[in-house]
Amino acid sequence: LIVWWEGTPHTDGANAVTAARRRLLLRHATRAWGNGEESAKSLSAYGLTQSRIDLGMTGTDTLRWRREVEDARGRTHWALRKELGVRGTVILFVGHLTVLKGIPELLAALNILATNRDLPPWSALFLGSGPLAQEIQTWAELHPAVPVAMPGFVQPRELAKFYAAADLFVVPTLIDRWGLVCLDALIAGIPQVTS
């Protein structure tokens, strides 16, 4: 049994039952693959010895990804924007809709944009799911002049078309050093704002 682990002490949030299940699973693991030092700390906290933890980095096939995004730009860019109801500059967020991913900070920044009447038209596109989805929906209802699209969780094979429909990528995360989504945006050729 090899466990792929991307949790960290900062993102874990396990209750007692979940923690007990994880300890049991990890006790039977031959090895665990962790995504960096913080993941190794989390695995150790569950009782896995350092000698059974392998560290690696998450990556992507950049040439394939670039081709997929470019193909989507040519085929579905305008159709998807119309389907989503977005217009103007489309600001894209991809990730869990949580406090630690910076959703409250992002909504505060969007408030500033929404009150500036001199800006050209813009929209917000949120890909992902999580406990703050309702806060985003409430924000959208309070700002009816700003189109907000929330397709929810999107399978990886469908992501390229959303990057192709976007003009600016934003991830105001409070926990990631440099998330894979930043690499996705970079290879897609989308300017990005990150924390």
Side-chain angles (χ1 to χ4, degrees):
L1 173 64
I2 300 172
V3 175
W4 177 15
W5 186 264
E6 291 201 4
T8 70
H10 309 289
T11 62
D12 195 2
N15 60 38
V17 173
T18 301
R21 286 183 185 144
R22 290 177 179 172
R23 276 191 205 89
L24 178 64
L25 173 69
L26 291 168
R27 186 177 317 135
H28 295 288
T30 307
R31 304 205 61 79
W33 182 93
N35 188 12
E37 292 177 28
E38 293 298 310
S39 286
K41 287 179 189 175
S42 181
L43 286 164
S44 294
Y46 284 113
L48 203 65
T49 61
Q50 289 292 324
S51 64
R52 292 168 46 212
I53 300 172
D54 298 303
L55 298 181
M57 291 299 296
T58 303
T60 189
D61 180 345
T62 56
L63 297 176
R64 179 194 54 79
W65 176 248
R66 184 145 188 95
R67 260 191 324 272
E68 286 182 15
V69 173
E70 287 174 356
D71 287 349
R73 275 196 189 106
R75 288 182 294 106
T76 62
H77 175 81
W78 295 110
L80 180 62
R81 288 169 70 107
K82 183 177 181 180
E83 177 186 324
L84 294 169
V86 295
R87 66 175 193 279
T89 300
V90 177
I91 300 170
L92 172 64
F93 172 90
V94 177
H96 293 114
L97 307 178
T98 64
V99 170
L100 292 176
K101 290 294 184 177
I103 292 298
E105 287 77 7
L106 177 53
L107 294 177
L110 294 181
N111 274 337
I112 295 169
L113 294 178
T115 59
N116 186 338
R117 305 282 183 224
D118 296 328
L119 290 178
W122 62 276
S123 304
L125 173 55
F126 290 87
L127 294 187
S129 60
L132 297 187
Q134 184 55 54
E135 281 80 351
I136 297 167
Q137 188 61 45
T138 300
W139 188 95
E141 291 166 5
L142 293 171
H143 301 87
V146 179
V148 175
M150 296 178 61
F153 174 79
V154 174
Q155 292 294 334
R157 66 182 176 276
E158 299 293 322
L159 281 174
K161 66 182 182 182
F162 292 97
Y163 279 84
D167 300 295
L168 177 68
F169 179 82
V170 61
V171 60
T173 181
L174 306 177
I175 55 171
D176 301 295
R177 290 186 190 163
W178 197 67
L180 184 59
V181 291
C182 295
L183 178 60
D184 290 344
L186 178 69
I187 299 307
I190 305 172
Q192 58 185 292
V193 178
T194 66
S195 59

